[in-house]
Amino acid sequence: MNTQPASTADTTGSWVVAAVATAVLAVVLGVFGSIGVLIDPLADAYAAPRAQVALLFAAALAVHSLAARRAGRVLDRSGPRPLLVVAAAGITVGPLAPAAASTVGFAVAGYGVGVGLASACTWVATTGVVSATFHRRRSAALGLLTAGPAAGGVVLAPVMAALADTIGPRPTCV
């Protein structure tokens, strides 16, 4: 028997929110984490050392780490919508940087800022929304949410590697 008041019961709609948030997090963090499969092909495309191109991931991780704290403040003050707008812009523009940049430095800066902001804002927004949506099964819902990045990497890394072999690393970034 459910002893929770109707307003605090988790509903099917709550699980839909959690599933959609998990899918969004899977895509954004899947792109973030899967860049590793493009390091060698991009190094060849830029005729640059692998270590320089590997900074794509490092730059995105640094921006993510620096932006997440501020994103939490924005979530508390303004809700998830502004964060998701920034995330959408970042995940759109960030991967385009390695495709369009003339130097590795520009590729690293564009990817790092775009994808780093997108991942931080998406992580904070989805965690906040799922936490606020659930009352009884919050931990289970957050457990589902945290599976998103791994699922995204499992799906996107082989797809990106296959695309890079087929059409090249720069078009794959697009």
Coordinates of all heavy atoms in Angstrom, one line a residue, residues 18 21-23 25-27 29-30 123 140-154:
A18 N 13.2 10.7 -16.5 CA 14.5 10.1 -16.2 C 15.1 9.4 -17.5 O 16.3 9.5 -17.8 CB 14.4 9.1 -15.1
A21 N 16.2 12.2 -19.9 CA 17.5 12.8 -19.4 C 18.7 11.9 -19.6 O 19.8 12.4 -19.9 CB 17.3 13.2 -17.9
T22 N 18.5 10.6 -19.4 CA 19.5 9.7 -19.6 C 20.0 9.6 -21.0 O 21.2 9.6 -21.3 CB 19.1 8.3 -19.1 OG1 18.7 8.3 -17.7 CG2 20.2 7.2 -19.3
A23 N 19.0 9.7 -21.9 CA 19.3 9.7 -23.4 C 20.1 11.0 -23.8 O 21.1 10.9 -24.5 CB 18.1 9.6 -24.2
L25 N 21.9 12.9 -21.8 CA 23.3 12.8 -21.1 C 24.1 11.8 -21.9 O 25.3 12.0 -22.1 CB 23.1 12.4 -19.7 CG 24.3 12.6 -18.8 CD1 24.8 14.0 -18.8 CD2 24.0 12.1 -17.4
A26 N 23.5 10.7 -22.4 CA 24.3 9.7 -23.2 C 24.8 10.3 -24.5 O 26.0 10.1 -24.8 CB 23.4 8.5 -23.5
V27 N 24.1 11.1 -25.1 CA 24.5 11.7 -26.4 C 25.7 12.7 -26.1 O 26.7 12.6 -26.7 CB 23.4 12.4 -27.2 CG1 23.9 13.3 -28.3 CG2 22.4 11.4 -27.7
L29 N 27.6 13.3 -23.3 CA 28.8 12.7 -22.7 C 29.4 11.6 -23.6 O 30.6 11.3 -23.5 CB 28.5 12.2 -21.3 CG 28.6 13.2 -20.2 CD1 30.0 13.6 -19.9 CD2 27.7 14.3 -20.3
G30 N 28.6 11.0 -24.4 CA 29.1 10.0 -25.4 C 30.0 10.7 -26.4 O 31.1 10.2 -26.8
W123 N 25.1 17.7 -17.6 CA 25.2 16.9 -16.4 C 24.4 17.6 -15.2 O 23.6 16.9 -14.5 CB 26.6 16.7 -16.0 CG 26.8 15.7 -14.9 CD1 26.6 15.9 -13.5 CD2 27.1 14.3 -15.1 NE1 26.8 14.7 -12.9 CE2 27.1 13.7 -13.8 CE3 27.4 13.5 -16.2 CZ2 27.4 12.4 -13.6 CZ3 27.7 12.2 -16.0 CH2 27.7 11.6 -14.7
A140 N 17.3 5.4 -7.4 CA 17.2 4.5 -8.6 C 17.2 5.3 -9.9 O 17.9 4.9 -10.9 CB 15.9 3.7 -8.5
A141 N 16.5 6.4 -9.9 CA 16.5 7.3 -11.0 C 17.8 7.9 -11.4 O 18.2 8.0 -12.5 CB 15.4 8.4 -10.9
L142 N 18.5 8.3 -10.3 CA 19.9 8.9 -10.6 C 20.8 7.8 -11.0 O 21.8 8.0 -11.8 CB 20.4 9.6 -9.3 CG 19.7 10.9 -9.0 CD1 20.1 11.4 -7.6 CD2 19.9 11.9 -10.1
G143 N 20.6 6.6 -10.5 CA 21.4 5.4 -11.0 C 21.2 5.2 -12.5 O 22.2 5.0 -13.2
L144 N 20.0 5.3 -12.9 CA 19.7 5.2 -14.4 C 20.4 6.3 -15.1 O 21.0 6.1 -16.2 CB 18.2 5.3 -14.6 CG 17.7 5.4 -16.1 CD1 18.1 4.1 -16.8 CD2 16.2 5.6 -16.1
L145 N 20.3 7.5 -14.6 CA 20.9 8.7 -15.3 C 22.4 8.5 -15.4 O 23.0 8.8 -16.5 CB 20.6 10.0 -14.4 CG 21.1 11.3 -15.0 CD1 20.4 11.6 -16.3 CD2 21.0 12.4 -14.0
T146 N 23.1 8.0 -14.4 CA 24.5 7.9 -14.5 C 25.0 6.8 -15.4 O 26.2 6.7 -15.8 CB 25.2 7.6 -13.1 OG1 24.6 6.4 -12.5 CG2 24.9 8.8 -12.2
A147 N 24.1 6.0 -15.9 CA 24.4 5.0 -16.9 C 24.5 5.6 -18.3 O 25.1 5.0 -19.2 CB 23.4 3.8 -16.9
G148 N 23.9 6.8 -18.4 CA 23.9 7.4 -19.7 C 25.2 7.7 -20.4 O 25.4 7.3 -21.5
P149 N 26.2 8.2 -19.7 CA 27.5 8.5 -20.3 C 28.2 7.2 -20.8 O 28.7 7.2 -21.9 CB 28.3 9.2 -19.2 CG 27.3 9.8 -18.4 CD 26.1 8.9 -18.4
A150 N 28.1 6.1 -20.0 CA 28.7 4.9 -20.4 C 28.0 4.3 -21.7 O 28.6 3.9 -22.6 CB 28.7 3.8 -19.3
A151 N 26.7 4.4 -21.7 CA 25.9 3.9 -22.8 C 26.2 4.7 -24.0 O 26.3 4.2 -25.2 CB 24.4 3.9 -22.5
G152 N 26.3 6.0 -23.9 CA 26.7 6.9 -25.0 C 28.0 6.5 -25.6 O 28.2 6.5 -26.8
G153 N 29.0 6.3 -24.7 CA 30.3 5.9 -25.2 C 30.3 4.5 -25.9 O 31.0 4.4 -26.9
V154 N 29.6 3.6 -25.4 CA 29.5 2.3 -26.0 C 28.9 2.3 -27.4 O 29.3 1.6 -28.3 CB 28.7 1.3 -25.1 CG1 28.3 0.0 -25.8 CG2 29.5 1.0 -23.8

